[in-house]
């Protein structure tokens, strides 16, 4: 890794990172302000008039935050309460002093590394609520997440029906095509997300069942079959004598995406690829739409709203949870700004857990950015090089592209896409294109 590519930063005009800092973040903060103002009467009714003080303190912090983003001020320290509060301030201090990366001249909203500053932003928002008396547990993105689920009930019923059919019939064990389809449904669930639209819900017209069949030309690297061949197939065959029959899914967004990830989890269990599937979510609201434990429980309880198939599917998941085959965890590592190649140092317990997993599935754009360190790699740099040695076990990233970082694209594919887009990079951030990249085996 002698020649590391530079980190993405908001200050590079014309990039999506720049647009994000300039427009998307202020919009997300404004959305939260509007929501608090709108909900004020409701909150007073629920918590009593004392909540006014809390609301005022949050609004004051947010107006300062918006101003500081827009005028590119240095990041300030955060309140030290809550898990990892201290660690965050240490990180900010380190970044500003001894460990300032060579390619970063100052830790401000635009000049700082995009990934670090973006994680800081969501931690800042969380801290503003956490330090209040009454609103410390409020999920300020909950309405957006639940609306996404409720706006796609038809699709959710379709996905549930698809899965229920697989559970019923005695399909052959080595159905490569079927397994591939389920992974693609989970992939395309990542197509839209609520942070891309600045918190506005976006209706995904094409269901993931249909997308899995129709959108293959939008997948720039597709290692799903290779992964099935090397990892999943042997797991099913060696059922009796394999120790690590555990698969981990590092979740991304709630709503349609979580539904399709639960389809994947259910599939892995009922097709006997694993004895347990561990889902990893976020300990607090993160990047607008990411799944917390509350979202997970709410989603499973809400499948019946989609229709009879949804209800059957929800009950099946509840029985997996009851049998401890489906487990939800949220490690604080996922709400840290660290890239994954430092997981062994920053989250040794989690890393150790993954060393005994058979397969790690990373969902979404943010997980991908952390895998490749959010750097401006030459796109034909190998995925392995960009992951910088991260390999506790075999892993696969299922990601639609929403940020200008990617590795492992062949020059033939690059030539084709550059010709098609006449060298404009919008394909990297629109969420229309995807990669399914296999991260090989543990050393
Ligand atoms: O704003 C940063 C960003 O990573 C976008 O690039 C992306 O739209 C979003 O946040 C997160 O996407 P995902 O939910 O797929 O991780
Ligand atoms: Mg997300």
């Amino acid at each position: 890794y002698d020649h590391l590519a530079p980190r993405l930063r908001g200050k590079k005009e014309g990039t999506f990172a720049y647009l994000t800092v300039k427009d998307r973040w202020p919009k997300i903060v404004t959305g939260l302000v509007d929501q608090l103002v709108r909900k004020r009467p409701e909150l007073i009714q629920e918590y009593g008039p004392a909540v006014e003080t809390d609301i005022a303190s949050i609004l004051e912090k947010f107006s300062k935050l918006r101003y500081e983003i827009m005028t590119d001020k240095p990041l300030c320290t955060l309140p030290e309460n809550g898990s990892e509060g201290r660690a965050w301030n240490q990180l900010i201090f380190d970044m500003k002093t001894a460990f300032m990366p060579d390619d970063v001249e100052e830790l401000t909203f635009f000049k700082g590394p995009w990934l670090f500053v973006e994680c800081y932003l969501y931690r800042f928002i969380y801290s503003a609520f956490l330090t209040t008396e009454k609103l410390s547990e409020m999920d300020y993105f909950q309405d957006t997440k639940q609306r996404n689920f409720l706006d796609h009930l038809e699709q959710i019923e379709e996905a549930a029906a698809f899965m229920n059919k697989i559970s019923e019939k005695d399909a052959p064990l080595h159905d490569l095509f079927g397994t591939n389809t389920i992974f693609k449904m989970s992939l395309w669930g990542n197509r839209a997300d609520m942070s891309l639209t600045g918190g506005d819900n976006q209706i995904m017209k094409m269901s993931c069942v249909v997308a899995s069949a129709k959108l293959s030309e939008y997948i720039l690297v597709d290692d799903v079959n290779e992964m099935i061949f090397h990892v999943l197939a042997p797991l099913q065959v060696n059922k009796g004598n394999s120790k690590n029959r555990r698969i981990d899914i590092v979740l991304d967004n709630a709503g349609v995406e979580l539904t399709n990830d639960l389809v994947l989890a259910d599939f892995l269990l009922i097709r006997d690829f694993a004895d347990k599937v561990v889902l990893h979510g976020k300990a607090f609201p993160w990047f607008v739409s990411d799944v917390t434990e509350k979202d997970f429980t709410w989603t499973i309880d809400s499948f019946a709203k989609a229709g009879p198939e949804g209800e059957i599917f929800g009950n099946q998941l509840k029985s997996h949870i009851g049998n401890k085959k489906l487990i939800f965890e949220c490690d604080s590592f996922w709400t840290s700004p660290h890239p994954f190649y430092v997981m062994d140092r920053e989250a040794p317990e989690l890393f150790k857990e993954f060393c005994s997993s058979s397969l790690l599935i990373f969902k979404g754009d943010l997980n991908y950015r952390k895998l490749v360190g959010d750097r401006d790699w030459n796109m034909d740099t190998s995925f392995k090089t960009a992951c910088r040695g991260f390999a506790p076990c075999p892993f696969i990233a299922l990601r639609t592209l929403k940020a200008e970082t990617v590795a492992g694209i062949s020059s033939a594919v690059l030539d084709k896409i550059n010709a098609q887009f006449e060298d404009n990079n919008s394909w990297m951030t629109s969420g229309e294109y995807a990669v399914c990249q296999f991260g090989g085996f543990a050393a």
Side-chain angles (χ1 to χ4, degrees):
Y1 320 117
D2 288 349
H3 305 288
L4 284 184
R7 276 164 251 255
L8 300 185
R9 290 192 288 155
K11 74 167 206 175
K12 199 166 166 192
E13 286 190 33
T15 63
F16 187 64
Y18 174 74
L19 241 167
T20 297
V21 186
K22 187 173 148 295
D23 298 334
R24 292 172 65 223
W25 292 350
K27 194 175 163 203
I28 287 168
V29 179
T30 307
L32 288 171
V33 167
D34 290 350
Q35 175 180 246
L36 265 183
V37 171
R38 204 174 52 240
K39 285 198 162 180
R40 180 183 266 144
E42 209 180 293
L43 293 170
I44 294 175
Q45 207 164 35
E46 193 176 340
Y47 298 103
V51 77
E52 297 247 42
T53 323
D54 289 351
I55 298 176
S57 117
I58 298 171
L59 291 179
E60 192 192 323
K61 285 183 181 154
F62 285 179
S63 89
K64 184 168 166 267
L65 173 65
R66 249 180 68 96
Y67 169 78
E68 294 191 346
I69 296 172
M70 288 159 72
T71 50
D72 197 22
K73 295 285 182 290
L75 308 193
C76 50
T77 52
L78 293 163
E80 293 212 333
N81 52 345
S83 126
E84 306 295 312
R86 279 244 168 100
W88 261 100
N89 282 342
Q90 186 64 48
L91 282 171
I92 296 167
F93 177 79
D94 289 350
M95 269 264 183
K96 283 185 175 174
T97 55
F99 297 100
M100 187 75 128
D102 299 344
D103 53 351
V104 177
E105 70 265 34
E106 206 188 349
L107 190 58
T108 66
F109 283 90
F110 281 86
K111 294 188 206 111
W114 182 27
L115 178 63
F116 184 91
V117 184
E118 192 155 35
C119 293
Y120 169 90
L121 172 83
Y122 287 99
R123 177 74 198 197
F124 183 105
I125 294 170
Y126 172 61
S127 304
F129 282 86
L130 192 66
T131 41
T132 64
E133 200 188 313
K134 311 268 184 203
L135 301 179
S136 59
E137 286 180 14
M138 178 172 172
D139 182 349
Y140 30 92
F141 293 132
Q142 178 177 288
D143 292 359
T144 315
K145 290 182 274 193
Q146 296 190 354
R147 210 167 354 110
N148 179 279
F149 183 92
L150 297 170
D151 284 348
H152 295 92
L153 289 180
E154 224 174 280
Q155 276 192 39
I156 289 166
E157 179 73 352
E158 185 189 1
F162 190 84
M163 188 58 221
N164 293 341
K165 221 163 156 190
I166 296 179
S167 323
E168 271 167 26
K169 74 171 185 220
D170 199 13
L173 280 182
H174 301 289
D175 181 359
L176 182 69
F177 179 74
T179 308
N180 190 304
T181 301
I182 297 282
F183 274 83
K184 296 297 162 55
M185 282 169 63
S186 164
L187 164 71
W188 290 119
N190 182 246
R191 201 164 15 145
D193 82 71
M194 296 150 252
S195 76
L196 202 58
T197 55
D200 296 338
N201 196 11
Q202 191 187 51
I203 305 286
M204 280 162 69
K205 291 199 185 74
M206 190 187 285
S207 77
C208 294
V209 176
V210 176
S212 69
K214 288 210 169 152
L215 298 183
S216 53
E217 64 182 289
Y218 290 90
I219 304 178
L220 304 175
V221 182
D222 187 354
D223 295 338
V224 171
N225 278 347
E226 187 190 338
M227 179 281 296
I228 296 174
F229 182 76
H230 285 293
V231 180
L232 290 186
L235 274 174
Q236 221 178 24
V237 174
N238 302 331
K239 215 175 107 186
N241 44 27
S242 159
K243 286 186 297 202
N244 306 334
R245 291 183 28 86
R246 156 190 175 149
I247 294 179
D248 290 80
I249 307 178
V250 183
L251 298 171
D252 188 1
N253 304 311
V256 172
E257 180 164 4
L258 177 60
T259 301
N260 286 281
D261 294 342
L262 289 170
V263 165
L264 172 61
D266 185 26
F267 178 84
L268 294 169
L269 288 170
I270 67 151
R271 280 293 176 90
D272 219 3
F273 287 117
D275 295 331
K276 67 173 175 181
V277 172
V278 184
L279 303 173
H280 300 267
K282 307 296 193 291
F284 52 85
W286 195 243
F287 279 65
V288 184
S289 37
D290 287 17
V291 178
T292 62
E293 185 153 19
K294 244 184 173 172
D295 299 323
F296 172 70
T297 313
W298 181 87
T299 304
I300 293 190
D301 287 339
S302 302
F303 277 125
K305 293 191 173 87
E309 298 283 357
E311 187 170 2
I312 296 171
F313 179 57
N315 288 338
Q316 162 96 332
L317 294 172
K318 281 183 195 161
S319 85
H320 290 324
I321 295 170
N323 298 334
K324 305 228 176 334
K325 286 172 150 246
L326 186 63
I327 295 163
F328 187 92
E329 285 180 5
C330 30
D331 195 283
S332 58
F333 182 72
W334 308 118
T335 39
S336 81
H338 297 298
F340 293 160
Y341 80 94
V342 299
M343 188 190 282
D344 54 348
R345 188 188 73 205
E346 297 296 333
E349 288 300 315
L350 184 69
F351 187 82
K352 217 170 103 201
E353 263 191 59
F354 289 154
C355 289
S356 68
S357 179
S358 305
L359 176 67
L360 190 47
I361 302 167
F362 286 109
K363 290 298 317 288
D365 195 71
L366 176 60
N367 281 324
Y368 190 92
R369 288 173 65 189
K370 289 182 165 185
L371 267 171
V372 301
D374 212 36
R375 288 175 184 269
D376 191 9
W377 297 104
N378 282 331
M379 296 182 214
D380 57 1
T381 307
S382 79
F383 182 55
K384 192 171 175 197
T385 302
C387 293
R388 300 178 67 187
F390 174 77
C393 62
F395 64 92
I396 189 159
L398 306 176
R399 171 237 189 173
T400 64
L401 278 77
K402 300 166 192 162
E404 285 142 326
T405 179
V406 74
I409 312 279
S410 73
S411 44
V413 170
L414 271 178
D415 288 348
K416 199 172 147 204
I417 200 145
N418 283 332
Q420 196 178 334
F421 281 82
E422 291 170 348
D423 291 322
N424 113 39
N425 276 351
S426 63
W427 59 274
M428 298 186 78
T429 54
S430 64
E432 283 178 305
Y433 285 83
V435 288
C436 302
Q437 288 174 297
F438 182 45
F441 298 94

